[in-house]
């Protein structure tokens, strides 16, 4: 899977707001070239919700274990929820695990920073993880939409 394939896949979902920061748009320089997916049926930047999936192309401070400084390397990160997290990792979010290699490519792993919140990650998704990444993104979208609908219902 390429970054463009993932972005194209996400454009097929209702209410997805895709943001890829660039120089001059007011975003922090570190985020330039990365992509953030949020659920926002109105299309505006969500005020109270965080992205449900991201594509990052570089290491961030405190998040260097995926080794994204390698050529042509990126990581898809997905707020998959505790059930899919448990299914893919064999443990609940927040439980320590010793057998994770964060820089491994084409493997579903607990996100090296946000795993405790139920996030999964794949560095350079390929043939082994293509279907898994699509499933995880579908579920993250479903969860984000459900959260949005609950919040909208609670303000009526």
């Amino acid at each position: 899977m390429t970054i463009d394939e993932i972005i194209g896949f996400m454009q097929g979902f209702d209410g997805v707001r895709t943001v890829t920061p660039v120089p001059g748009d007011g975003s922090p320089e570190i985020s330039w070239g990365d992509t953030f997916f949020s659920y926002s049926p109105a299309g505006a930047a969500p005020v109270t919700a965080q992205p449900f999936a991201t594509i990052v192309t570089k290491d961030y401070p405190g998040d260097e274990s995926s080794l994204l400084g390698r050529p042509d390397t990126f990581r898809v990160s997905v707020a998959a929820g505790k059930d899919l997290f448990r299914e893919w990792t064999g443990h609940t979010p927040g439980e320590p695990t010793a057998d994770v290699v964060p820089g491994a490519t084409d493997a579903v792993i607990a996100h090296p920073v946000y795993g405790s919140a139920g996030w999964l990650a794949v560095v350079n998704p390929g043939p082994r993880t293509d279907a898994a990444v699509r499933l995880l993104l579908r579920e993250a979208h479903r969860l984000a939409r459900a959260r949005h609908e609950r919040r909208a219902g609670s303000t009526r």
Side-chain angles (χ1 to χ4, degrees), residues 56 59-60 62-68 75-78 85 89 97 100-104 107-123:
V56 295
D59 290 325
Y60 279 64
D63 183 11
E64 298 90 4
S65 63
S66 291
L67 307 173
L68 299 179
R75 180 182 68 213
V76 179
S77 303
V78 184
F85 185 92
T89 66
T97 180
V100 173
V101 181
V108 177
I109 62 166
H111 188 284
V113 175
Y114 301 112
S116 62
W119 281 67
L120 294 169
V122 179
V123 175

Side-chain angles (χ1 to χ4, degrees), residues 39 139-153:
Y39 184 77
E139 179 62 6
H141 172 263
R142 186 191 70 73
L143 292 170
R145 183 177 57 212
R147 273 190 303 277
H148 174 83
E149 290 170 355
R150 277 192 311 275
R151 288 180 180 148

Side-chain angles (χ1 to χ4, degrees), residues 3-107:
I3 291 172
D4 289 338
E5 288 172 332
I6 296 165
I7 292 171
F9 177 73
M10 295 306 296
Q11 290 172 342
F13 291 99
D14 70 290
V16 173
R17 182 172 190 270
T18 303
V19 175
T20 303
V22 295
D25 69 1
S27 61
E29 182 176 350
I30 187 103
S31 68
W32 296 350
D34 295 339
T35 303
F36 304 87
F37 303 101
S38 301
Y39 184 77
S40 178
V47 177
T48 60
Q50 294 293 316
F52 65 83
T54 65
I55 300 170
V56 295
T57 58
K58 67 195 85 55
D59 290 325
Y60 279 64
D63 183 11
E64 298 90 4
S65 63
S66 291
L67 307 173
L68 299 179
R70 296 173 285 177
D72 302 316
T73 303
F74 67 95
R75 180 182 68 213
V76 179
S77 303
V78 184
K82 64 182 177 185
D83 293 336
L84 277 178
F85 185 92
R86 188 178 309 111
E87 183 178 320
W88 282 96
T89 66
H91 60 86
T92 58
E95 288 181 348
T97 180
D99 58 349
V100 173
V101 181
T105 60
D106 201 16

